[in-house]
Amino acid sequence: MTTDDLLARHRAVLPSWMPLYYEEPIELVSGSGRRVTDSTGRSYLDFFGGVLTNMIGYDIAEIRDAVARQLGTGVVHSSTLYLIRHQVELAEKIARLSGIPDARVFFTNSGTEANEAALLVATNYRRSHQILAVRNSYHGRSYATMGITGHRSWSASSLNPLQVSWLHSSDRMRGLLARLDPEEQVDAAVDDLREVLATQTSGDVACLIAEPIQGVGGFVHPPDGLLGAYKKVLDESGILLISDEVQTGWGRTGEHFWGYQAHDVVPDLLTFAKGIGNGFALAGVVGRAPVLEEVKAISFSTFGGNPIATAAGNAVLDYLLDHDLQGNAHRVGAILRQGLDEAVRQHDIVGEVRGKGLMLAVEFVRPGSREPDPANAVRVFEECRRGGLLVGKGGLYGNVLRMGPPLTLTESEAREGLDILSAAIATVAAR
Ligand code: PMP
């Protein structure tokens, strides 16, 4: 079976709105560490990890063994109507790591469901369906989470169970806050929050939800401290803060375990997904007990926190902590960042390099302007693939390349990927 046959079959049976990467899409058939191999035998260094989800890497013995042990018991699934030892253990660890006092954890299968659950408890707790969200955000693909997604490309329906008011994003390339320096940006963003509360809401807002670094939005992030500055205003009227840590969690930013920790604040709720299962479907929400308990009916998730996913989750978390992968993200991320900054310096097709730790993005613009250049982003993206490096795309205008490699990335792999990316940018810039 060739990739072409598979592509034709894919196109015949799967919806066209579910995009495939690359002019000639890739089928990955094996992986090890930070490398994957496609069906033609071509190998790639993976700087995207299935959208920041293969957080530890491919074929990790500790995770494989933990899952195999659970498979060996014969119990793949029991439902949460029965005690699940792995689930309880993982919840204990996550509650402790969350930084949220007296925390409760509810497991789901996806980031979307985690955010839905967070919105459910926040709106119940506050008896309000008014939500504050941030422009250029992405929170999921259900009605409520699409409704708080400030990104046209991902807003597939206008139906919205919530009443949403929008705060300005911290994009430094364009938008109202773009040209301000970080301190001015915090002040301006807080003014914006006060004005939105005063002009677009009836005051009794349920929550503000924000990504510490906007994932799909191309790794746009606010200056450190902004979420804390927001929280001071929110606290005046009891409005909850939800930190969507689906991409920023588990030490990815290098400097902190959670993205919110750069902001001198503890959120009322945080949501997680992607990396914690290292590919097994595992996600959830953590919150202060009084908030998370605000569900006055039976609610559960059939597969959420199932024995296989939570066996994987425990192994992932133990591996991450035992190997200090946050420290690795900090160290190797700094090498990558420095190399990227140097590589793009002479190329005016690059508008900005941004991000933290092993969550780094390159934004492409028309030379001498801030106008987005998605065509060049795609060219560099395809060049990287030709050179043997997988990266991701993103940004409001599709003009951003995103890198979120496994947190186990080594220094030499970082330099190898950097060389491929630098060459790709130079090739496209020279055209
Ligand atoms: N929140 C953020 C910040 C995300 O990046 C994503 C996925 N890209 C989601 C929520 C939704 O997660 P999922 O695709 O697992 O539903």
Side-chain angles (χ1 to χ4, degrees), residues 110-112 115 138-140 211 216 244 246-247 273-274:
S110 69
T112 297
N115 283 331
Y138 180 84
H139 296 292
E211 299 155 271
V216 171
D244 180 338
V246 166
Q247 298 212 10
K274 292 203 190 285

Side-chain angles (χ1 to χ4, degrees), residues 103-426:
R104 299 289 183 277
V105 185
F106 175 66
F107 289 105
T108 64
N109 307 293
S110 69
T112 297
E113 286 176 74
N115 283 331
E116 279 279 343
L119 291 167
L120 172 73
V121 296
T123 53
N124 279 354
Y125 183 79
R126 291 281 296 158
R127 300 280 183 272
S128 164
H129 76 309
Q130 296 178 81
I131 311 289
L132 302 169
V134 183
R135 296 172 195 197
N136 194 42
S137 60
Y138 180 84
H139 296 292
R141 55 170 302 283
S142 60
Y143 285 118
T145 57
M146 254 190 301
I148 52 166
T149 285
H151 195 305
R152 172 64 192 89
S153 305
W154 299 83
S155 297
S157 172
S158 63
L159 294 180
N160 192 345
L162 304 167
Q163 187 179 316
V164 185
S165 301
W166 295 96
L167 302 180
H168 283 288
S169 87
S170 299
D171 196 334
R172 283 189 293 266
M173 298 300 293
R174 52 194 75 82
L176 273 193
L177 306 183
R179 286 173 177 78
L180 304 177
D181 69 33
E183 222 162 87
E184 288 174 325
Q185 216 188 57
V186 170
D187 291 344
V190 169
D191 287 348
D192 176 45
L193 169 61
R194 284 195 185 282
E195 190 178 274
V196 166
L197 283 170
T199 59
Q200 300 175 39
T201 76
S202 56
D204 55 338
V205 168
C207 62
L208 162 60
I209 182 162
E211 299 155 271
I213 300 179
Q214 296 184 316
V216 171
F219 297 177
V220 164
H221 62 86
D224 287 357
L226 179 59
L227 295 183
Y230 277 157
K231 186 77 164 97
K232 290 199 179 89
V233 178
L234 302 178
D235 283 346
E236 291 168 13
S237 28
I239 300 168
L240 304 175
L241 175 67
I242 304 175
S243 187
D244 180 338
E245 301 275 355
V246 166
Q247 298 212 10
T248 43
W250 320 108
R252 175 156 299 275
T253 68
E255 55 187 31
H256 297 103
F257 194 75
W258 303 105
Y260 80 73
Q261 288 166 327
H263 295 272
D264 195 20
V265 70
V266 178
D268 299 284
L269 295 156
L270 72 81
T271 56
F272 61 85
K274 292 203 190 285
I276 183 62
N278 202 50
F280 288 90
L282 182 62
V285 52
V286 194
R288 292 195 287 118
V291 181
L292 211 83
E293 293 289 359
E294 200 56 47
V295 179
K296 302 293 182 224
I298 294 173
S299 189
F300 91 137
S301 165
T302 299
F303 296 122
N306 68 72
I308 296 289
T310 47
N314 275 305
V316 168
L317 201 44
D318 292 348
Y319 191 103
L320 184 102
L321 297 171
D322 291 349
H323 294 78
D324 185 24
L325 294 190
Q326 179 187 324
N328 193 62
H330 191 60
R331 200 172 52 80
V332 179
I335 293 167
L336 201 52
R337 175 62 189 258
Q338 196 193 344
L340 265 178
D341 284 338
E342 277 165 26
V344 305
R345 195 164 294 151
Q346 72 270 35
H347 297 306
D348 54 6
I349 63 169
V350 173
E352 187 177 56
V353 175
R354 59 176 173 257
K356 291 181 175 183
L358 284 174
M359 192 170 178
L360 294 169
V362 182
E363 168 148 0
F364 291 86
V365 292
R366 294 199 168 278
S369 79
R370 293 174 179 229
E371 207 184 313
D373 192 345
N376 263 353
V378 170
R379 286 183 195 112
V380 175
F381 179 72
E382 294 282 351
E383 271 307 316
C384 284
R385 180 242 170 112
R386 266 191 285 282
L389 178 72
L390 302 184
V391 296
K393 278 189 296 182
L396 192 52
Y397 305 99
N399 62 322
V400 178
L401 293 191
R402 293 191 288 157
M403 281 154 285
L407 302 183
T408 45
L409 191 75
T410 66
E411 187 176 328
S412 78
E413 288 164 343
R415 294 193 194 284
E416 181 187 334
L418 191 59
D419 285 348
I420 300 170
L421 179 62
S422 308
I425 294 173

